[in-house]
Amino acid sequence: MAVAGAIIGAAVGGWMNDRFGRRRVLLIADFLFFVGAVIMASAPGAALLIVGRIFVGLGVGMASMTSPLYISEASPAKIRGALVSTNGFLITGGQFLSYLINLAFTKAPGTWRWMVGVAGFPALLQFILMLLLPESPRWLYRKGREEAAKVILRKIYPAHEVEQEIQDLKESVEAEIKEEGSSEKMNIIKLLKTKAVRRGLTAGVGLQVFQQFVGINTVMYYSPTIVQLAGFASNRTALLLSLVTAGLNAFGSIVSIYFIDRTGRKKLLIISLTGVVVSLGVLSGVFHETTTHSPMVSRVETSHFSNITCPDYSSALNSGAWDCMTCLKASSPDCGFCSSPTNKLLPGACLISNDTVKDMCHKETRLWYTRGCPSKYGWLALIGLALYIIFFSPGMGSVPWIMNSEIYPLRFRGLCGGIAATANWISNLIVAQSFLSLKEA
């Protein structure tokens, strides 16, 4: 529901950016964040919790396309890419911090209320700080408030550059007025009829869709599950390794800040995608080996645990051919694999999956598996996962947002940015909703 709210927020945010300005939309987004956090923290049941998620989603959608746009338009050209990349770093760094904050709250009374409620504090802080910042000078200039725009540009650029920047901005707006007849008459039909804008929008939307379809949010949302599929049984280990994943994502954003204005956007994208393809190839190979070479199920080990044998295994005619993966696929009821006490790669037991059986398995210093099977290739999966994040973050993680803040004519920038961000969130929802079904398949 949060992602669904973000789709609506991004769609409405594009129009609001052009109508009310970048700064005002960020203030509205902060207000929505704060209200959503308060509703979630005080929710007496699931229904109100979901309402709070929708509010937060609306804020996320608006902020996701407005922040890079505002930073881009209020930054000196020579460091624009680095500053928009810094926005990406602070998002991924924030994700990393959220893991740590949630970890700290696990022992607090009312655990989840603190986890969702604490999000209101940064929203309130940013709202206060945004009141001290100026509007985008480019938006002001397009709205005819030239003097106000010039005052802000003089604060951004050195004295010897500011006049040239003002002149460039003036020429850009005048060229648009000359070409289209008015700098204010703007809608989607006119946008689609303008060839240069239409081509730019195709590139911008394409980048945002592919950013999601290469699977980043599968990794960020479900990294504990992926780690367990690679053969790590412990929930705690999986969560700690997820923390590493979030840290690498933040590190990749720092790499982007350094290289984005030196290497160029397109080259960084190509390097990033090449690394992503190789990394996903490694992961696919590891999972194939894990599933086709999983430990066998032993009748001796299974009979060691009386009255809790997996029913499907007991009634199977070919039980001698069962391995760990066959055991985990049993569904009436769900079954788990209890490893050998001497070596997790040796034949183990196929048992009914519940907390009581899990505890019995652990008491005999065995490992309990319900998602993935024991494997000697698990460490390779972690390397593949780490490489994927390291390659994704500097290129595909940052560049789509930077490109969408740069490639459109000024008068179309808010609307086109909103369309591209909406495409991003719709793709995000498709990936998030389909992953668990694909995993089962």
Side-chain angles (χ1 to χ4, degrees):
M1 293 309 296
V3 176
I7 293 170
I8 299 167
V12 175
W15 169 78
M16 290 177 67
N17 264 276
D18 286 326
R19 183 71 182 271
F20 303 113
R22 311 346 181 185
R23 177 173 169 269
R24 198 170 293 175
V25 173
L26 283 172
L27 287 168
I28 293 169
D30 285 327
F31 176 74
L32 290 169
F33 279 138
F34 182 77
V35 170
V38 171
I39 290 172
M40 288 190 298
S42 59
L48 207 57
L49 185 69
I50 290 169
V51 171
R53 295 299 291 161
I54 295 169
F55 269 90
V56 168
L58 289 168
V60 168
M62 287 183 188
S64 68
M65 57 83 49
T66 308
S67 295
L69 184 60
Y70 178 77
I71 294 165
S72 174
E73 292 185 347
S75 305
K78 63 184 178 182
I79 59 166
R80 184 176 298 145
L83 289 178
V84 178
S85 291
T86 302
N87 179 57
F89 163 65
L90 293 173
I91 291 170
T92 54
Q95 289 172 339
F96 179 75
L97 285 175
S98 74
Y99 277 102
L100 293 177
I101 290 166
N102 286 349
L103 202 62
F105 279 129
T106 53
K107 298 291 174 68
T111 299
W112 66 268
R113 293 189 188 276
W114 281 104
M115 288 179 179
V116 293
V118 75
F121 292 106
L124 183 62
L125 178 62
Q126 182 171 291
F127 184 91
I128 294 166
L129 293 174
M130 280 305 301
L131 293 172
L132 307 176
L133 287 177
E135 181 53 83
S136 159
R138 285 161 179 77
W139 182 82
L140 288 170
Y141 205 99
R142 188 165 66 79
K143 291 294 181 180
R145 295 162 63 181
E146 296 179 17
E147 287 308 313
K150 288 176 182 178
V151 169
I152 296 166
L153 285 169
R154 289 190 179 99
K155 293 179 179 179
I156 296 171
Y157 285 89
H160 64 281
E161 293 181 19
V162 71
E163 292 305 322
Q164 182 61 48
E165 184 64 21
I166 291 169
Q167 186 61 31
D168 290 346
L169 188 56
K170 182 180 178 182
E171 289 173 3
S172 171
V173 173
E174 286 177 352
E176 286 175 8
I177 294 171
K178 186 178 180 181
E179 182 183 348
E180 300 295 334
S182 166
S183 65
E184 290 304 314
K185 291 178 183 176
M186 189 215 10
N187 54 49
I188 291 177
I189 295 170
K190 183 168 281 191
L191 181 156
L192 295 174
K193 284 182 178 178
T194 309
K195 185 180 178 182
V197 180
R198 190 171 67 246
R199 291 175 68 188
L201 188 60
T202 303
V205 168
L207 282 170
Q208 294 285 30
V209 169
F210 279 107
Q211 184 197 62
Q212 294 303 316
F213 281 178
V214 296
I216 182 59
N217 281 316
T218 295
V219 172
M220 296 314 293
Y221 297 158
Y222 298 114
S223 54
T225 302
I226 292 169
V227 168
Q228 288 182 320
L229 288 171
F232 291 88
S234 164
N235 283 332
R236 185 172 179 79
T237 301
L239 286 168
L240 287 172
L241 289 170
S242 301
L243 193 61
V244 174
T245 302
L248 287 172
N249 200 18
F251 172 75
S253 301
I254 298 173
V255 174
S256 175
I257 294 168
Y258 182 80
F259 283 107
I260 190 71
D261 290 312
R262 291 172 171 83
T263 309
R265 281 64 163 150
K266 185 178 175 182
K267 191 180 289 185
L268 201 57
L269 276 175
I270 292 169
I271 294 168
S272 175
L273 281 169
T274 303
V276 162
V277 170
V278 171
S279 306
L280 291 177
V282 169
L283 272 174
S284 299
V286 170
F287 288 130
H288 180 265
E289 287 299 305
T290 301
T291 53
T292 55
H293 294 82
S294 63
M296 300 301 293
V297 174
S298 163
R299 278 208 172 274
V300 175
E301 293 291 343
T302 303
S303 61
H304 172 74
F305 297 90
S306 56
N307 302 322
I308 53 172
T309 302
C310 175
D312 283 4
Y313 176 71
S314 299
S315 60
L317 296 175
N318 64 335
S319 59
W322 272 48
D323 61 13
C324 168
M325 196 54 62
T326 317
C327 176
L328 298 193
K329 287 180 179 178
S331 57
S332 55
D334 290 338
C335 296
F337 183 79
C338 185
S339 71
S340 165
T342 54
N343 185 335
K344 68 178 183 179
L345 300 176
L346 293 176
C350 185
L351 310 172
I352 293 170
S353 178
N354 60 45
D355 287 341
T356 304
V357 177
K358 176 183 174 182
D359 290 341
M360 288 174 66
C361 179
H362 282 159
K363 280 177 184 175
E364 298 195 5
T365 65
R366 299 167 181 250
L367 297 174
W368 178 246
Y369 295 86
T370 55
R371 283 183 172 156
C373 289
S375 171
K376 60 184 176 182
Y377 302 107
W379 62 274
L380 263 178
L382 295 181
I383 290 174
L385 202 59
L387 284 174
Y388 171 82
I389 294 290
I390 288 167
F391 277 107
F392 174 89
S393 190
M396 285 303 290
S398 302
V399 174
W401 296 105
I402 296 169
M403 293 284 278
N404 274 284
S405 68
E406 293 178 334
I407 60 177
Y408 309 117
L410 184 58
R411 60 194 293 262
F412 290 106
R413 200 169 282 170
L415 183 60
C416 289
I419 292 169
T422 304
N424 180 290
W425 286 106
I426 291 171
S427 305
N428 184 325
L429 186 63
I430 292 168
V431 169
Q433 290 299 102
S434 61
F435 172 74
L436 292 176
S437 301
L438 287 170
K439 180 185 81 69
E440 290 303 315

